[in-house]
Amino acid sequence: MTTPTASTRPRALSNWLFAVAALIVLMVVVGGITRLTESGLSITQWKPISGVIPPLNDAQWQAEFDNYKRIPEYQQLNQGMTLAGFKSIFFWEYFHRLLGRLIGLAFALPLIWFAIKRQIPKGYGWRLVALLALGGFQGAIGWWMVKSGLSVRTDVSHLRLATHLLVALFTLAAIVWTALDLRVLARTPDARPARLTPLGAAAGLILFFQLFYGALVAGLNAGLVTDQWPLMNGRFFPGATIEGRPFFDALVNDPAIVHFVHRWWAWIAVAALVLLARATRKLDRRASIAIHSAFGTQILLGIATVMSGVNIELAALHQLTGALLLVATTWGAHVVGQRR
């Protein structure tokens, strides 16, 4: 049992973590736009400190552009791109990396402050440090992903991209869960942290599988396989884009198969989320409404994104709602796990 002392501030810690979670949601959206605009390989070096400062004059811009010209994406896909065109894709990757650094500072500096002031309730210090380490690990995964597209490929590995996104979303869920624990602790000084129930774990795993396939769809540009729904180019099952692939290979590498799995696994995710929302309803009606609203909106946006030929605005909203659906699911699982 974790009982806060007079000097601890669980509500302040909770508010801080929710603010960091909001930044991560923004980061997920910007990352999605970076992928949709094919901007992720515009910065070919990882400079954690000096990379904060963007090019400030024509010579520096030209140097960055020259670095980009050395990689396969430019040589095979973007030959003839102007400096102005390069600046437009550079912006999204730079903003994405800058936001990552901002999130790191927004987590680390307040954590140090709360620790110095001894305002962290007993039992939560290790969790917060683990979350900080997870955020640092995410930065390393981001560079590991970018490196996959700098030598042979003309884009990043879709599997590495999926890893990058899922670690970000797992971090988001863990931060929201911890913030909810602290919010309950602020109301009830003798409250225990919520436990992950079998129902909450099952709903979370099913949703993460759907999010994994969403990342594969983005990495393979599989949303462009068809602009039809519910059929795919006049057929229910599209068949493999590249014939002769082994079954399990096609499941993660063939754009048409990946798109098919993503669009139909969504209904399995809906069934699991409905069960979670029903279990949540009597305990906290707001969480139940949040889950229903998020997955309903997400389905409509997914269909609209496909039928629009992957309109960037709709695709970005689809990714935003996916992150918010994860937050709502975490909230519902936390409510159910607190019923003890």
Side-chain angles (χ1 to χ4, degrees), residues 241-265:
T241 305
I242 303 174
E243 298 295 339
R245 283 187 182 274
F247 175 73
F248 289 105
D249 179 74
L251 276 178
V252 295
N253 291 311
D254 187 277
I257 304 301
V258 166
H259 185 142
F260 177 83
V261 172
H262 184 58
R263 69 162 56 185
W264 294 112
W265 184 266

Side-chain angles (χ1 to χ4, degrees), residues 11-51:
R11 181 168 290 275
L13 285 160
S14 177
N15 291 339
W16 157 58
L17 289 178
F18 278 129
V20 174
L23 287 174
I24 294 175
V25 171
L26 176 60
M27 180 76 161
V28 168
V29 175
V30 172
I33 295 173
T34 301
R35 174 59 191 167
L36 289 164
T37 56
E38 304 287 350
S39 302
L41 296 176
S42 58
I43 302 178
T44 60
Q45 297 174 310
W46 189 28
K47 299 177 179 178
I49 306 300
S50 61

Side-chain angles (χ1 to χ4, degrees), residues 130-141:
L131 289 172
L132 178 61
L134 192 58
F137 181 55
Q138 171 69 347
I141 291 175

Side-chain angles (χ1 to χ4, degrees), residues 45 54 65 69 119 150-151 154 178 222 246 257 292 331:
Q45 297 174 310
F65 193 21
K69 288 180 179 180
Q119 294 176 344
L150 296 180
S151 56
T154 58
T178 303
I257 304 301
H292 279 104
W331 184 10

Side-chain angles (χ1 to χ4, degrees), residues 52-309:
V52 174
I53 303 173
L56 300 176
N57 54 51
D58 291 343
Q60 291 176 353
W61 273 114
Q62 191 60 52
E64 288 288 347
F65 193 21
D66 289 341
N67 287 336
Y68 179 65
K69 288 180 179 180
R70 297 188 182 101
I71 69 172
E73 182 180 81
Y74 174 83
Q75 295 167 359
Q76 298 179 34
L77 301 178
N78 291 332
Q79 278 279 2
M81 173 182 276
T82 64
L83 181 58
F86 172 72
K87 288 180 179 180
S88 67
I89 64 171
F90 183 95
F91 167 78
W92 285 112
E93 177 65 6
Y94 172 75
F95 185 35
H96 186 56
R97 295 191 188 195
L98 184 66
L99 191 54
R101 293 179 175 95
L102 175 62
I103 292 172
L105 290 175
F107 198 101
L109 295 182
L111 175 59
I112 293 170
W113 172 261
F114 284 123
I116 291 174
K117 295 294 184 178
R118 299 184 181 278
Q119 294 176 344
I120 300 174
K122 185 179 179 181
Y124 284 88
W126 70 268
R127 288 171 64 174
L128 296 173
V129 171
L131 289 172
L132 178 61
L134 192 58
F137 181 55
Q138 171 69 347
I141 291 175
W143 176 242
W144 174 66
M145 176 190 70
V146 169
K147 281 185 66 178
S148 67
L150 296 180
S151 56
V152 178
R153 303 170 59 99
T154 58
D155 58 2
V156 300
S157 162
H158 59 289
L159 293 173
R160 294 189 187 189
L161 183 148
T163 303
H164 186 51
L165 178 61
L166 288 188
V167 172
L169 293 175
F170 177 80
T171 305
L172 172 64
I175 287 175
V176 169
W177 187 282
T178 303
L180 290 169
D181 273 344
L182 287 164
R183 186 59 55 95
V184 172
L185 186 63
R187 294 195 304 265
T188 310
D190 62 346
R192 295 183 178 183
R195 296 292 184 183
L196 186 60
T197 65
L199 175 60
L205 287 173
I206 290 170
L207 178 58
F208 260 91
F209 186 81
Q210 176 68 0
L211 294 170
F212 168 70
Y213 263 85
L216 295 184
V217 168
L220 290 169
N221 293 320
L224 298 172
V225 167
T226 181
D227 60 0
Q228 298 176 3
W229 192 92
L231 300 180
M232 296 179 65
N233 300 325
R235 301 167 61 187
F236 173 73
F237 182 71
T241 305
I242 303 174
E243 298 295 339
R245 283 187 182 274
F247 175 73
F248 289 105
D249 179 74
L251 276 178
V252 295
N253 291 311
D254 187 277
I257 304 301
V258 166
H259 185 142
F260 177 83
V261 172
H262 184 58
R263 69 162 56 185
W264 294 112
W265 184 266
W267 300 102
I268 297 175
V270 165
L273 293 172
V274 167
L275 291 175
L276 178 63
R278 287 176 63 86
T280 304
R281 185 175 181 181
K282 294 181 180 180
L283 304 170
D284 192 331
R285 184 178 174 82
R286 299 169 303 164
S288 178
I289 292 172
I291 294 170
H292 279 104
S293 301
F295 75 65
T297 303
Q298 179 71 338
I299 288 173
L300 293 175
L301 283 171
I303 295 171
T305 299
V306 168
M307 297 185 72
S308 69

